[in-house]
Structures are given as structure tokens and as C-alpha cells.
């Protein structure tokens, strides 16, 4: 049905606003300065007008544009460098090998609990300088903060996000104080020093940035690792190909993210009235970029309905990480973790087989299985 709608038009109407179905238009609109994130309006649409979520989300870096966004992003860019990310690769590889050894020792694993969760959690804590004894506390907080993009589903989601933010914000504030007194080689130390030297970003703004980095560095990657296993379980020949040709790791990562992204949708609001491709878009229109279908758009991705880790798809940057000035700061780290982990798993273990029913997180927000029971084949 969605494929048919995409074939007919670049957009579709829905009860909540405009749905963008094709890659070219989604990519262009993500970069269009006539649209913005308007975090305040997003929360108010979901009944949040004050409190911990409001205090964190509205001033978040992604909800700034122009000079303010450039100022905040520039501070992170001074500390969160490619050199820092590449320096983490040996740690990522060693942790992936340790966790893979543990998977090899059991008949059935719960992949998210046994690998998808501990790998990015350990990497994030190593990056930020969080003591190992605090990993489990961090795990709960960062898992629940990610539900902020699923507020529309109601239930206990708002309470969980609020509790996580209160805990995480207090912890980050204490960690910043400790790092300012005794800096280390970690990202928070580098950010605290950069903030002090720069003088244009307040302590509160830096704390907000770090909380945002914390949940983004953990929640999205753990679900992307799980989504990768779902993709390979459905295409076991691709898993064996990766085992035989580990040099395909980077392409495999891109294909996994294209095929089954954790960000199935990205939203924007129209900041003004304007016309686009013959369609009048009124100010405040809620616009949803449908990432999954757009990343399979046959106009851009040749044979895009097929999962193929050997495919080379030049000139078609993935939408999952956004576009333009708001391209995700953590994209390089997520790719590094995936490209180190997947070859380690494929080399040691046979293709994954799903060993039970799957339930999924809400389709709006960070998307992936709630749990993922797997059996892996054995390599000779």
C-alpha cells in the first residue's frame, strides 16, 4: 500500500499532517530552511507544557537553528573529533569479541540484553568517562529517555522519560563538576574545557548537550544492532557473505541502516507559508519524512527493495541521520560501532535465527524490537 502511494506521488495526506514518501523530496525538505523542528510545538502536541521533559527538549541542540545551532554544534565539534572516534575502535572491537564469546557459549541468547545493549553502553561510558559501576543505572536512564519521540503513544511513557531525565541530568551535572576539577581523556572532560575556553556556551547548555549525547549514543545504536540481526536473519546468505568478506563491513552497515533504520520517521514543522512542487504548505503544518520507504525509493536506490550488502549506492546519503546542518553528530560513532561489531559476530557465529515472537517499539520514535531471542549457527 505504501509502495503504491509512493509510486503515485511524493507525498500523502494523513490525520496528523503531510507524509513525504520519496527520497529526493524528503532529502530536500530536511535541508529546507523554511522548516524547523519547533520542539516546543512538538511537546505541546503531545500534552507536555512544562516539567523535566520540557526543560530538556525545548532548548536541545536539534531545536535550535541558525547562529545558535552553529554555536552549540561548534563546541561539540571541537571535542567530538574523528580522531577520538577512531581511538575507540580497539575498545569497540575487544568488547565485541568478548560479548561474541559469551553468545557462542549459549544455545539461545536474548540479543539486545546480551550484545545490543552492553556494547554501545560500554562504548558510551568509555567515551564519556563514566565509571563501570554506573553502567546499569545509565542503561535504564538512556533507554527511557529515548521514548521522548514516542510520547504520542501515551501510557507510562511520559513518566518514564521524566524520571530518566531527572536522574540523568543530576548525574551529568555531578560528572561535569568532577571532570572540571580533574580532567581526563574522555569527551566530557574535553567538552568542559572547550566550554570554559570558548565562553559562548553556558554550563546549562553544555549539560543539555551531554544528556542528549548520552541517550543518542546508546539507544539508537542498540536498536540498530538488533535491527541488523533481524535483517540478517531474513537474509542468511548475506551473513555468510560478510563472514567470508569482512572488507564489506562498511557497506553492510550502510545497507542495514538503509533497509531497517531505527529512525523510521523524521519530523519538521513549516515555519512559514510556502509552495513546494505545486503543493501549498501552510505555516505550522506537521511534516513527516517517511525514512524507511524513502530509503527504498527505486528512483534513487537501484533494486532498493532488495537487501544486498555488496550494493554500492553513491550519491544517496541515508536519511536516518538527517541532512544539512542537523546531520546527526553521532553518526560516525554509530557507524564505527556497527562496522567493528558485525564482522566479529559473522566470523565467529553462523547466521542468526529468530527463536520466538517479536514485539516492536512504537513505530514513531526510535524503532526496534523490544526483545530479540536468537539462535546462531556454529562456524566450523
Amino acid at each position: 500500500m505504501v509502495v503504491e502511494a509512493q509510486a503515485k506521488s511524493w507525498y500523502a495526506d494523513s490525520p496528523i499532517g503531510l507524509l513525504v514518501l520519496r527520497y529526493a523530496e524528503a532529502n530536500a525538505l530536511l535541508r529546507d530552511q523554511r522548516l524547523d523542528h519547533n520542539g516546543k510545538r512538538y511537546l505541546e502536541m503531545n500534552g507536555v507544557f512544562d516539567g523535566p521533559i520540557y526543560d530538556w527538549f525545548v532548548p536541545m541542540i536539534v531545536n535550535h537553528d541558525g547562529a545558535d545551532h552553529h554555536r552549540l554544534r561548534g563546541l561539540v565539534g571541537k571535542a567530538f573529533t574523528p580522531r577520538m572516534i577512531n581511538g575507540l575502535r580497539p575498545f569497540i572491537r575487544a568488547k565485541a569479541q568478548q560479548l561474541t564469546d559469551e553468545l557462542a557459549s549459549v544455545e539461545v541468547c536474548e540479543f539486545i540484553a546480551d550484545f545490543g545493549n552492553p556494547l554501545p553502553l560500554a562504548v558510551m561510558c568509555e567515551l564519556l568517562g563514566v565509571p563501570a559501576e554506573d553502567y546499569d543505572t545509565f542503561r535504564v536512564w538512556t533507554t527511557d529517555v529515548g521514548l521522548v519521540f514516542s510520547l504520542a503513544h501515551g501510557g507510562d511513557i511520559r513518566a518514564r522519560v521524566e524520571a530518566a531525565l531527572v536522574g540523568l541530568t543530576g548525574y551529568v551535572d555531578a560528572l561535569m563538576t568532577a571532570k572540571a576539577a580533574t580532567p581526563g581523556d574522555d569527551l566530557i572532560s574535553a567538552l568542559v574545557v572547550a566550554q570554559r575556553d570558548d565562553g559562548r556556551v553556558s554550563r546549562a547548555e553544555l549539560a543539555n548537550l551531554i544528556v542528549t549525547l548520552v541517550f543518542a549514543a546508546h539507544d539508537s545504536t542498540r536498536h540498530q544492532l538488533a535491527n541488523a540481526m533481524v535483517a540478517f536473519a531474513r537474509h542468511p546468505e548475506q551473513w555468510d557473505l560478510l563472514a567470508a568478506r569482512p572488507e564489506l563491513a562498511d557497506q553492510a552497515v550502510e545497507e542495514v541502516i538503509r533497509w531497517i533504520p531505527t529512525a523510521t520517521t523524521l519530523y519538521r514543522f513549516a515555519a512559514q507559508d510556502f509552495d513546494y512542487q505545486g503543493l501549498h504548505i501552510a505555516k505550522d503544518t506537521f511534516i513527516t519524512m517517511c525514512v524507511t520507504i524513502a530509503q527504498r525509493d527505486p528512483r534513487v536506490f537501484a533494486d532498493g527493495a532488495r537487501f544486498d550488502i555488496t550494493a554500492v549506492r553513491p550519491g544517496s546519503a541515508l536519511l536516518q541521520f538527517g541532512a544539512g546542518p542537523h546531520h546527526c553528530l553521532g553518526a560516525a560513532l554509530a557507524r564505527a560501532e556497527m562496522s567493528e561489531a558485525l564482522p566479529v559476530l559473522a566470523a565467529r557465529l553462523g547466521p542468526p535465527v529468530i527463536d520466538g515472537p517479536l514485539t516492536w517499539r512504537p513505530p514513531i520514535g526510535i524503532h526496534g524490537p523490544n526483545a530479540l531471542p536468537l539462535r546462531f549457527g556454529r562456524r566450523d
Side-chain angles (χ1 to χ4, degrees):
M1 182 176 176
V2 177
V3 173
E4 292 175 2
Q6 185 191 61
K8 291 178 182 178
S9 176
W10 65 268
Y11 75 94
D13 290 318
S14 81
I16 62 170
L18 196 65
L19 304 179
V20 182
L21 307 176
R22 294 181 183 173
Y23 178 91
E25 287 78 6
N27 188 39
L29 287 169
L30 285 171
R31 300 168 186 273
D32 197 313
Q33 295 186 13
R34 296 171 295 185
L35 306 181
D36 62 26
H37 288 78
N38 200 339
K40 180 175 180 290
R41 182 169 173 80
Y42 167 77
L43 290 184
E44 290 175 353
M45 283 176 60
N46 289 285
V48 179
F49 296 89
D50 54 25
I53 299 175
Y54 194 93
D55 294 342
W56 165 64
F57 194 82
V58 173
M60 191 198 297
I61 184 172
V62 298
N63 293 318
H64 287 279
D65 290 288
D68 271 346
H69 180 264
H70 183 74
R71 174 175 58 86
L72 294 169
R73 192 178 180 102
L75 180 72
V76 179
K78 290 177 182 177
F80 195 29
T81 62
R83 180 179 179 181
M84 177 174 280
I85 293 169
N86 287 330
L88 284 167
R89 283 185 177 271
F91 178 88
I92 298 169
R93 195 176 312 120
K95 187 67 179 179
Q97 289 168 343
Q98 174 208 327
L99 294 170
T100 300
D101 288 345
E102 294 171 10
L103 295 186
S105 70
V106 298
E107 189 68 27
V108 178
C109 72
E110 203 303 286
F111 182 80
I112 297 174
D114 296 339
F115 192 100
N117 198 42
L119 178 67
L121 182 65
V123 173
M124 179 197 68
C125 290
E126 178 75 7
L127 173 70
L128 298 175
V130 173
E133 59 266 25
D134 293 338
Y135 282 17
D136 283 344
T137 304
F138 248 60
R139 174 184 56 79
V140 175
W141 288 336
T142 57
T143 297
D144 285 352
V145 169
L147 291 169
V148 70
F149 296 109
S150 302
L151 288 169
H153 294 276
D156 66 345
I157 288 178
R158 178 174 175 175
R160 288 171 62 185
V161 177
E162 286 182 344
L165 281 169
V166 170
L168 194 54
T169 300
Y171 186 93
V172 164
D173 186 70
L175 202 58
M176 286 170 59
T177 299
K179 300 295 183 182
T182 311
D185 295 329
D186 55 86
L187 180 59
I188 292 184
S189 293
L191 285 170
V192 167
V193 171
Q195 182 258 342
R196 181 195 62 205
D197 294 345
D198 181 87
R200 296 183 301 150
V201 175
S202 71
R203 180 185 171 89
E205 288 175 321
L206 179 57
N208 188 295
L209 275 169
I210 293 171
V211 170
T212 304
L213 284 170
V214 163
F215 100 83
H218 175 215
D219 203 38
S220 296
T221 305
R222 78 190 184 102
H223 285 295
Q224 195 63 71
L225 284 163
N227 290 352
M229 293 305 103
V230 173
F232 281 113
R234 294 171 179 169
H235 302 87
E237 77 289 349
Q238 297 287 306
W239 183 261
D240 287 333
L241 182 59
L242 177 59
R245 297 177 58 189
E247 70 274 11
L248 290 173
D250 288 345
Q251 285 177 225
V253 170
E254 294 305 296
E255 187 69 348
V256 162
I257 297 171
R258 183 190 74 84
W259 181 259
I260 185 167
T262 56
T264 58
T265 60
L266 297 173
Y267 79 87
R268 297 288 189 273
F269 290 93
Q272 62 188 71
D273 290 350
F274 68 99
D275 293 323
Y276 182 79
Q277 296 216 13
L279 178 69
H280 181 71
I281 299 176
K283 182 181 179 182
D284 293 331
T285 297
F286 188 65
I287 303 173
T288 302
M289 317 301 167
C290 298
V291 173
T292 304
I293 187 64
Q295 290 187 168
R296 300 186 187 188
D297 187 344
R299 295 156 193 78
V300 176
F301 301 96
D303 207 9
R306 188 162 66 95
F307 180 73
D308 180 7
I309 67 170
T310 69
V312 179
R313 307 182 191 277
S316 49
L318 298 177
L319 299 175
Q320 154 142 330
F321 297 116
H326 285 280
H327 184 264
C328 177
L329 281 163
L333 179 60
R335 286 184 166 105
E337 292 183 55
M338 297 279 291
S339 66
E340 294 294 341
L342 292 180
V344 169
L345 285 162
R348 180 74 188 279
L349 305 171
V353 177
I354 298 171
D355 193 66
L358 283 185
T359 61
W360 294 80
R361 279 169 63 117
I364 300 173
I366 298 174
H367 188 56
N370 288 312
L372 185 57
L374 290 182
R375 284 183 292 110
F376 285 96
R378 293 292 182 259
R379 296 287 182 209
D380 294 333

